[in-house]
Amino acid sequence: MEEQTEIVGRAFVDHYYNLFDNDRSSIGTLYQPSSMFSFEGQKLLGNEDISAKLNALPFGQCRHVISTIDSQPSSFAGGIIVFVSGSIQLLGEDHPLRFSQMFHLIPTMEGSFFVQNDIFRLNYG
Protein backbone atom coordinates (compact mmCIF):
# COMPACT_ATOMS: atom_id res chain seq x y z
CA MET A 1 0.00 0.00 0.00
CA GLU A 2 1.28 3.46 -0.89
CA GLU A 3 2.26 5.76 1.93
CA GLN A 4 -0.09 8.74 2.42
CA THR A 5 2.60 11.25 1.38
CA GLU A 6 3.08 9.39 -1.92
CA ILE A 7 -0.67 9.31 -2.58
CA VAL A 8 -1.01 13.05 -1.90
CA GLY A 9 2.15 13.84 -3.88
CA ARG A 10 0.97 11.90 -6.92
CA ALA A 11 -2.54 13.44 -6.75
CA PHE A 12 -1.05 16.92 -6.49
CA VAL A 13 1.28 16.35 -9.45
CA ASP A 14 -1.60 15.07 -11.59
CA HIS A 15 -3.71 18.11 -10.65
CA TYR A 16 -0.91 20.68 -11.07
CA TYR A 17 0.20 19.58 -14.54
CA ASN A 18 -3.38 19.08 -15.71
CA LEU A 19 -4.08 22.71 -14.77
CA PHE A 20 -0.81 23.89 -16.34
CA ASP A 21 -1.52 22.09 -19.62
CA ASN A 22 -5.27 22.74 -19.87
CA ASP A 23 -6.24 25.75 -17.70
CA ARG A 24 -3.05 27.66 -16.87
CA SER A 25 -4.98 30.79 -15.88
CA SER A 26 -6.27 28.87 -12.81
CA ILE A 27 -2.87 27.73 -11.56
CA GLY A 28 -2.50 30.72 -9.21
CA THR A 29 -5.15 29.21 -6.96
CA LEU A 30 -2.57 26.63 -5.81
CA TYR A 31 -0.36 29.35 -4.29
CA GLN A 32 -0.75 31.83 -1.42
CA PRO A 33 0.59 35.39 -0.87
CA SER A 34 3.51 33.85 1.10
CA SER A 35 4.41 31.34 -1.66
CA MET A 36 7.87 31.46 -3.22
CA PHE A 37 8.77 30.36 -6.76
CA SER A 38 12.17 30.03 -8.45
CA PHE A 39 11.94 29.67 -12.22
CA GLU A 40 15.29 29.12 -13.91
CA GLY A 41 16.91 31.21 -11.15
CA GLN A 42 14.33 34.03 -11.20
CA LYS A 43 12.75 34.37 -7.74
CA LEU A 44 9.13 35.41 -7.30
CA LEU A 45 6.99 35.95 -4.19
CA GLY A 46 3.23 35.65 -3.92
CA ASN A 47 0.45 33.97 -5.85
CA GLU A 48 -0.20 36.98 -8.10
CA ASP A 49 3.40 37.29 -9.33
CA ILE A 50 3.73 33.51 -9.70
CA SER A 51 0.51 33.28 -11.70
CA ALA A 52 1.57 36.22 -13.88
CA LYS A 53 4.91 34.55 -14.63
CA LEU A 54 3.39 31.18 -15.52
CA ASN A 55 0.73 32.78 -17.71
CA ALA A 56 3.31 34.95 -19.51
CA LEU A 57 5.53 32.05 -20.60
CA PRO A 58 6.34 32.32 -24.33
CA PHE A 59 4.35 29.24 -25.33
CA GLY A 60 0.69 28.37 -25.27
CA GLN A 61 -0.22 24.73 -25.49
CA CYS A 62 2.08 22.14 -24.00
CA ARG A 63 1.92 18.66 -22.53
CA HIS A 64 3.87 17.49 -19.49
CA VAL A 65 5.00 13.86 -19.41
CA ILE A 66 6.00 12.86 -15.88
CA SER A 67 8.86 10.37 -15.46
CA THR A 68 9.30 10.27 -11.68
CA ILE A 69 7.57 11.56 -8.55
CA ASP A 70 9.31 11.37 -5.17
CA SER A 71 7.49 12.52 -2.03
CA GLN A 72 8.60 12.88 1.59
CA PRO A 73 7.00 14.32 4.71
CA SER A 74 8.48 17.72 5.57
CA SER A 75 9.38 19.07 9.00
CA PHE A 76 6.32 21.35 8.83
CA ALA A 77 3.44 19.42 10.44
CA GLY A 78 1.57 17.70 7.62
CA GLY A 79 3.73 19.25 4.93
CA ILE A 80 5.01 17.27 1.95
CA ILE A 81 8.06 17.75 -0.30
CA VAL A 82 7.44 16.56 -3.87
CA PHE A 83 10.20 16.23 -6.48
CA VAL A 84 9.18 15.71 -10.12
CA SER A 85 11.17 14.95 -13.25
CA GLY A 86 9.80 14.70 -16.74
CA SER A 87 9.52 16.43 -20.07
CA ILE A 88 7.45 19.18 -21.66
CA GLN A 89 6.28 18.77 -25.24
CA LEU A 90 5.60 22.17 -26.80
CA LEU A 91 3.14 22.45 -29.66
CA GLY A 92 4.98 22.44 -32.98
CA GLU A 93 8.33 21.35 -31.49
CA ASP A 94 9.94 18.02 -32.38
CA HIS A 95 11.99 17.52 -29.23
CA PRO A 96 10.64 17.65 -25.67
CA LEU A 97 12.34 19.73 -22.98
CA ARG A 98 13.50 17.83 -19.88
CA PHE A 99 12.72 19.44 -16.51
CA SER A 100 12.88 18.98 -12.75
CA GLN A 101 10.53 20.65 -10.28
CA MET A 102 10.25 20.62 -6.49
CA PHE A 103 7.16 21.57 -4.49
CA HIS A 104 6.75 22.10 -0.75
CA LEU A 105 3.07 21.52 0.02
CA ILE A 106 1.52 22.91 3.22
CA PRO A 107 -1.87 21.75 4.54
CA THR A 108 -4.70 24.27 4.76
CA MET A 109 -7.42 24.56 7.41
CA GLU A 110 -9.90 23.33 4.76
CA GLY A 111 -8.07 20.01 4.41
CA SER A 112 -6.30 20.62 1.12
CA PHE A 113 -2.76 21.84 0.36
CA PHE A 114 -1.12 24.93 -1.11
CA VAL A 115 2.32 25.36 -2.66
CA GLN A 116 4.62 27.21 -0.26
CA ASN A 117 7.81 26.66 -2.29
CA ASP A 118 8.25 25.77 -5.96
CA ILE A 119 11.59 25.43 -7.78
CA PHE A 120 11.68 24.74 -11.53
CA ARG A 121 14.69 24.02 -13.77
CA LEU A 122 15.09 22.83 -17.32
CA ASN A 123 17.64 20.01 -17.62
CA TYR A 124 20.12 20.68 -20.41
CA GLY A 125 22.61 18.24 -21.91
Side-chain angles (χ1 to χ4, degrees):
M1 185 170 128
E2 280 190 294
E3 196 177 313
Q4 187 65 25
T5 55
E6 292 171 358
I7 293 169
V8 171
R10 186 170 306 280
F12 170 78
V13 166
D14 289 346
H15 180 61
Y16 180 89
Y17 293 110
N18 182 57
L19 275 181
F20 194 105
D21 294 352
N22 299 300
D23 187 16
R24 199 176 314 165
S25 64
S26 297
I27 208 158
T29 61
L30 301 177
Y31 299 88
Q32 296 287 319
S34 65
S35 297
M36 293 177 271
F37 180 45
S38 294
F39 183 86
E40 290 292 302
Q42 179 186 10
K43 293 178 174 31
L44 299 163
L45 175 64
N47 54 326
E48 291 181 10
D49 287 350
I50 294 167
S51 181
K53 174 65 178 179
L54 293 174
N55 284 291
L57 291 173
F59 56 87
Q61 284 189 300
C62 67
R63 183 173 61 89
H64 286 81
V65 178
I66 305 307
S67 301
T68 64
I69 303 170
D70 296 296
S71 302
Q72 295 180 352
S74 75
S75 58
F76 186 92
I80 299 173
I81 302 287
V82 182
F83 182 78
V84 180
S85 67
S87 60
I88 307 167
Q89 184 66 54
L90 302 180
L91 187 65
E93 294 291 326
D94 292 334
H95 303 289
L97 302 170
R98 304 278 309 150
F99 76 94
S100 297
Q101 192 162 11
M102 186 282 309
F103 301 96
H104 184 196
L105 306 179
I106 302 296
T108 66
M109 297 298 287
E110 296 80 28
S112 62
F113 289 85
F114 75 92
V115 179
Q116 176 60 45
N117 304 88
D118 180 353
I119 301 171
F120 175 91
R121 280 284 182 181
L122 290 171
N123 300 333
Y124 298 103

